Amino acid sequence: MNWNEKQTVRIAILDLYEGVANQGMRGLRAIVKYFGEKNNLNIVLDEFDVRLKNEVPDMNYDIYLSSGGPGSPLESEGSEWEKHYFNWVSDLEEWNEDPSRTQKKYALFICHSFQLVCRHWELGNVCARKSTSFGVFPVHLLEDGKDEPVFEGMKDPFYAVDSRDYQIIEPKMNILYRGAKILCIEKDRPHVPYERAIMGIRFNEYLIGTQFHPEADAIGMSMYLQTEEKKKTVIENHGEEKWSSMINHLNDPDKIMWTYAHIIPNFLNIALKSIHPVPVSS
């Protein structure tokens, strides 16, 4: 192979936003675009509308990014789109478990996708939160998280955008049987009698998921929060102090900007090194 030629990397984004306006898809596209430019790659990027069109990718992609989305991760059980989605998950598992296939498939599951696969694999109790979690919050690394290559460069705690009405708590014993590792949990709240939610899991060597939004960038989120409609909603539900705090956190280079610049880029780089051999200079 001529190493001066651009390598082709095929990436699929599974869109679970069900047509709802969001910043997540924009963030994922921007990260993939920058990843391709930085590594001088020919990126083939395709998007699949999972919930409205029952679309899922085949196994002809190198890397898969499965997005967040609105609504309940419980009420969709048995739906047509979910059947297609879990068939795709099963195809991923079968591909990666086949020793004859040396080119493995890498996937990242974000927020709603993370909740779905945790329910599907029965890794914990997927349930409604007492109240909506929305804002910029600290995420605390566990021991496995401190050794996780995708979290390389992250501080403890690190900060992330959280937007959810549901959570994964009470990990079940078979999480250890499957070889999965809990990487991080939500902020400690000693003043409330609730178990801390799981915020990240390494499912196996090739599949990983986060409850938070690593694709959220400061500029996009700041613009989103300062729209008249969203600002009004946040203030009505959480107070003006909360809204101001979120804007300040977004502008802090050690918080959201740091998370955005590390977690998904780390994941993509790890996948790239496995997918394509790196030339060794003599």
Side-chain angles (χ1 to χ4, degrees):
M1 180 181 190
N2 182 352
W3 292 107
N4 291 321
E5 294 178 1
K6 285 189 175 183
Q7 300 175 48
T8 295
V9 176
R10 295 175 56 83
I11 298 178
I13 298 180
L14 290 85
D15 177 359
L16 274 74
Y17 279 101
E18 204 171 23
V20 174
N22 65 89
Q23 291 293 312
M25 291 297 292
R26 183 195 58 76
L28 290 173
R29 294 182 195 115
I31 291 173
V32 169
K33 182 175 183 291
Y34 180 72
F35 168 70
E37 292 171 350
K38 182 179 180 182
N39 292 283
N40 193 33
L41 301 170
N42 174 36
I43 297 290
V44 176
L45 177 63
D46 294 318
E47 298 178 13
F48 297 84
D49 189 334
V50 177
R51 295 169 72 173
L52 290 181
K53 299 180 181 178
N54 293 336
E55 294 177 344
V56 292
D58 57 24
M59 290 295 104
N60 289 320
Y61 295 87
D62 302 305
I63 302 171
Y64 301 84
L65 301 170
S66 190
S67 80
S72 167
L74 303 174
E75 293 176 3
S76 58
E77 187 170 5
S79 65
E80 194 64 26
W81 71 260
E82 201 177 84
K83 292 176 185 176
H84 288 283
Y85 184 77
F86 288 140
N87 284 339
W88 164 73
V89 171
S90 295
D91 289 343
L92 269 182
E93 290 185 285
E94 290 176 15
W95 181 285
N96 288 335
E97 289 169 1
D98 186 342
S100 69
R101 288 172 165 147
T102 56
Q103 291 286 326
K104 303 303 183 181
K105 306 296 182 179
Y106 287 74
L108 170 66
F109 299 85
I110 298 171
C111 199
H112 196 92
S113 297
F114 177 72
Q115 295 166 349
L116 289 174
V117 293
C118 283
R119 192 195 83 212
H120 178 64
W121 286 324
E122 299 181 342
L123 299 183
N125 178 15
V126 181
C127 59
R129 285 178 52 86
K130 186 73 173 177
S131 60
T132 299
S133 176
F134 181 75
V136 178
F137 297 108
V139 178
H140 296 268
L141 292 171
L142 300 181
E143 286 307 308
D144 285 322
K146 294 175 182 177
D147 296 329
E148 170 56 52
V150 169
F151 286 174
E152 184 177 352
M154 299 305 293
K155 303 162 187 177
D156 184 24
F158 64 88
Y159 286 79
V161 168
D162 197 15
S163 177
R164 60 195 166 92
D165 293 306
Y166 293 82
Q167 62 184 353
I168 296 98
I169 57 173
E170 301 166 355
K172 298 181 181 178
M173 285 304 295
N174 67 328
I175 194 170
L176 302 175
Y177 172 77
R178 290 183 58 86
K181 298 176 180 178
I182 300 175
L183 305 175
C184 50
I185 55 178
E186 70 178 344
K187 65 177 181 178
D188 191 9
R189 298 180 297 162
H191 59 287
V192 295
Y194 304 127
E195 185 167 339
R196 296 160 77 182
I198 299 169
M199 298 300 283
I201 296 177
R202 163 63 70 182
F203 299 115
N204 57 43
E205 187 177 354
Y206 312 105
L207 311 183
I208 189 170
T210 67
Q211 176 68 92
F212 58 89
H213 287 271
E215 82 284 10
D217 69 308
I219 296 174
M221 284 300 296
S222 182
M223 291 173 61
Y224 175 61
L225 287 170
Q226 292 184 75
T227 60
E228 187 175 342
E229 181 181 358
K230 194 60 185 178
K231 180 178 179 180
K232 180 182 178 183
T233 300
V234 172
I235 291 174
E236 286 179 351
N237 293 329
H238 305 284
E240 189 162 0
E241 185 178 346
K242 174 72 169 182
W243 180 86
S244 298
S245 172
M246 290 177 65
I247 296 296
N248 290 333
H249 281 322
L250 289 172
N251 292 326
D252 186 332
D254 290 332
K255 290 187 168 66
I256 298 309
M257 293 167 67
W258 188 268
T259 301
Y260 175 84
H262 283 77
I263 291 183
I264 297 182
N266 284 346
F267 166 77
L268 294 173
N269 282 320
I270 291 165
L272 178 64
K273 289 177 183 178
S274 173
I275 295 163
H276 295 283
V278 178
V280 178
S281 57
S282 56

